[in-house]
Amino acid sequence: MFLLMAFKNADWLDIKRAVAYPRIFMLVYILVGVAFGTGAMKIASPDGSAFGFDFMNVYAAGVAVHEGRPVDAYDWKGQGERERRIDESLNKNPEVVPDTGAKPYYYLPWLYPPTFLSVGWLFALLPFLAALAAYSAVGFLAYGAVLYKIIAERHKAAIWATAAFPGLYVNLLAGQNGAMTTALLGAGLLFLDKTPIAAGIFFGLLSYKPHLFVLVPLVLFAGRYWKALAATLVSAGVCASLSLAAFGLDSWLAFIQGLGSARSVFLESDGAFRWLGIMHSPFSAVRLLGGSVQAAYAVQTGIAVCVVFILLYIWSRKATSLSIRASALCGVILLASPYSFGYDQVLLALPIAFLAKEGIENGFLSFEKIFLFALWLLPAFAKDGGENYAVPLTPPMLMGLLAFSWLRMKRELSVQK
C-alpha cells in the first residue's frame, strides 16, 4: 500500500529531484562525449551504434546532389558506396563495404522525399565532421528554443529536464533529425492558436517525414483550424514544388518506387529482424514476440485505427486545452506508424513538457507524475529492451500517454460545465 501511494502521488519527485536526476544524466553524456572526442570511441561504425552514423546517409545524398545526379541518392547500392567512401575518410581501417547480396546491409538507403535533398546539399558544402557538428547544433538549438517556450520560460527548473532528456541524446548519437522534427512540430503547436498561418508553415516543413506528418492535416481538420490547415497544405506543396524544380521528376519517381523496397527490407523480409529491434511500433512488437507479418499488420492497423479515432475526437473538442491535444497528437504520431524508430522518441519531449506544465499549474492526476518520469526515461531503455531482450516497452507507454491525455480532457471538460 505504501509503495502504491508513493507511485500514486509521487510527492518524493519534487523540484530538487527533478533537477538532480537530469544533472546526473548530463554528466554521463559529457563523459561519453569526452570518449568520442579523445578517440576512445569510433566516429562511425557499420552497425550504426556509433556517433553520427545516420548522418552519413544525409551527407552522402548531398554529395549525389553536388555531383549533379540527385536521383542517384535513391540508388541503394550507389548510396551505400558513397557512405563507404565517407567512412574510409574517417577511419583508417574501414569495416563498411558495399553490399553484395551475400551479407546484411551495412549502410542506410535514402528514403526521404526529395524535399530533404536540399538539406543534404546544404550540409555537404562542409567537410563531414563540420557538417555533422552543424547539423547536430541546429537541431539541438531549435529543440531547446521550442521546449523553453513550452515550459522552461515559466518554470526554470524544467531547463535541466528538457536539456538532459535521453531521447535528445539518442537522436544526437545517431546523427538523426528528430530534434528538428520535434522543433517544427512544437513550433507549429505553439503558434497554432495565435498565429495559425505561421503554425501551418512550420507544419508544412515537417512534410519531409511523411509518416509523421500525415496526421497533422487530419487533426487540424478535426479541430476546425482552417487557416492553419490551408497554410500547412500550401507550405508542404511549395516544398514539394521547389524540390521538383530543383531535383527533377525522376527523383520523385525514384522515391515513390523505393517505398515498396523499404517496406520489404524493414518490415517483411527475413532480414527485417535487424531493424525491428530498433523500431518501437506495435508492428515491430508483434514480430519480435514471434508473430507473423500478417499478424503484425493486423495489430498495427487495428491499433492505428483506434488511436487515430480517439485523437480526432480529442481534437474536435476545442474547449480542451492545446497542451492536452498536443500531447495526444505526439503519442499517436509515434504509435500509428509502423516505422517508429528509437531516435524518433525525442518527440516525446513535447508531451512530457505540455503535461508537466499542466500538472504544475493545475495539479497532477493520480500516477501522472511517475508516468511522465517513466516516459522521460523511456528512450534510455527502449533500444535495449527491443533489440536485446525483445521486450516492447514503447507501445504500452504511448497508449498510456494517450490515456492520460484522455483523462485530462475529461477532467477539464467536467470542470467547465
Side-chain angles (χ1 to χ4, degrees):
M1 181 61 69
F2 172 78
L3 186 61
L4 184 64
M5 292 303 298
F7 283 156
K8 181 178 181 180
N9 298 320
D11 292 331
W12 53 271
L13 192 55
D14 54 17
I15 294 296
K16 290 184 178 180
R17 287 188 172 88
V19 171
Y21 295 160
R23 284 178 174 174
I24 295 171
F25 274 75
M26 189 66 75
L27 177 61
V28 173
Y29 303 147
I30 292 172
L31 293 175
V32 171
V34 170
F36 282 123
T38 58
M41 297 184 183
K42 282 184 65 179
I43 293 295
S45 72
D47 65 2
S49 63
F51 187 51
F53 181 75
D54 286 15
F55 179 68
M56 281 189 186
N57 187 32
V58 177
Y59 195 86
V63 170
V65 176
H66 283 286
E67 291 173 347
R69 290 284 300 169
V71 70
D72 286 356
Y74 296 96
D75 175 8
W76 287 21
K77 297 292 180 64
Q79 179 75 348
E81 174 62 22
R82 281 185 292 275
E83 292 177 26
R84 183 191 66 81
R85 293 199 302 266
I86 296 168
D87 187 78
E88 281 184 335
S89 71
L90 297 171
N91 303 288
K92 294 181 179 179
N93 298 306
E95 300 173 19
V96 179
V97 296
D99 177 66
T100 63
K103 58 188 289 300
Y105 291 105
Y106 285 130
Y107 57 83
L108 296 175
W110 180 254
L111 301 175
Y112 290 99
T115 49
F116 204 61
L117 282 173
S118 58
V119 175
W121 170 85
L122 177 64
F123 285 98
L125 292 169
L126 300 172
F128 179 81
L129 292 181
L132 174 58
Y135 186 78
S136 300
V138 169
F140 187 92
L141 292 173
Y143 162 94
V146 168
L147 268 294
Y148 180 81
K149 294 298 293 184
I150 292 174
I151 186 170
E153 186 175 35
R154 295 182 60 181
H155 306 284
K156 302 299 183 184
I159 290 176
W160 282 101
T162 57
F165 177 47
L168 177 62
Y169 293 89
V170 169
N171 178 84
L172 291 176
L173 189 67
Q176 265 289 342
N177 50 38
M180 182 55 68
T181 299
T182 300
L184 290 173
L185 181 60
L189 292 167
L190 282 172
F191 280 99
L192 185 56
D193 281 333
K194 293 184 179 179
T195 318
I197 301 300
I201 292 172
F202 283 116
F203 288 144
L205 293 174
L206 187 62
S207 60
Y208 73 87
K209 281 204 167 182
H211 62 296
L212 304 183
F213 168 75
V214 65
L215 289 178
V216 173
L218 292 180
V219 297
L220 294 178
F221 179 85
R224 302 179 296 284
Y225 286 101
W226 308 123
K227 290 183 179 179
L229 176 59
T232 298
L233 298 178
V234 170
S235 176
V238 168
C239 290
S241 299
L242 290 175
S243 69
L244 180 63
F247 308 122
L249 179 61
D250 288 348
S251 295
W252 273 98
L253 294 176
F255 162 68
I256 295 170
Q257 291 169 0
L259 295 179
S261 298
R263 184 180 67 250
S264 174
V265 168
F266 290 103
L267 298 180
E268 299 174 354
S269 69
D270 292 337
F273 280 95
R274 171 179 173 80
W275 306 103
L276 290 170
I278 59 174
M279 291 185 186
H280 303 284
S281 63
F283 183 98
S284 64
V286 173
R287 295 292 317 274
L288 287 171
L289 293 173
S292 65
V293 172
Q294 293 77 14
Y297 273 127
V299 170
Q300 178 70 49
T301 302
I303 290 176
V305 169
C306 291
V307 297
V308 169
F309 179 81
I310 294 171
L311 174 67
L312 296 180
Y313 179 82
I314 292 174
W315 272 76
S316 70
R317 307 303 293 257
K318 289 191 72 171
T320 304
S321 71
L322 183 61
S323 293
I324 295 171
R325 287 179 284 139
S327 299
L329 173 62
C330 294
V332 174
I333 281 177
L334 294 176
L335 194 56
S337 170
Y339 300 98
S340 182
F341 287 89
Y343 52 74
D344 291 322
Q345 291 183 2
V346 66
L347 201 68
L348 292 175
L350 296 177
I352 292 171
F354 278 122
L355 291 183
K357 178 175 176 289
E358 286 288 314
I360 292 169
E361 297 176 358
N362 302 310
F364 287 95
L365 301 176
S366 297
F367 299 103
E368 185 180 26
K369 192 188 292 187
I370 192 65
F371 174 79
L372 291 178
F373 181 50
L375 197 64
W376 189 88
L377 290 171
L378 176 64
F381 299 99
K383 182 176 186 295
D384 283 339
E387 191 172 14
N388 298 329
Y389 307 110
V391 177
L393 301 174
T394 302
M397 290 295 289
L398 295 177
M399 292 178 189
L401 174 58
L402 184 59
F404 274 107
S405 300
W406 176 270
L407 292 173
R408 275 208 164 272
M409 178 195 72
K410 299 299 287 185
R411 188 177 82 164
E412 196 171 87
L413 293 178
S414 67
V415 170
Q416 293 172 6
K417 290 182 178 179

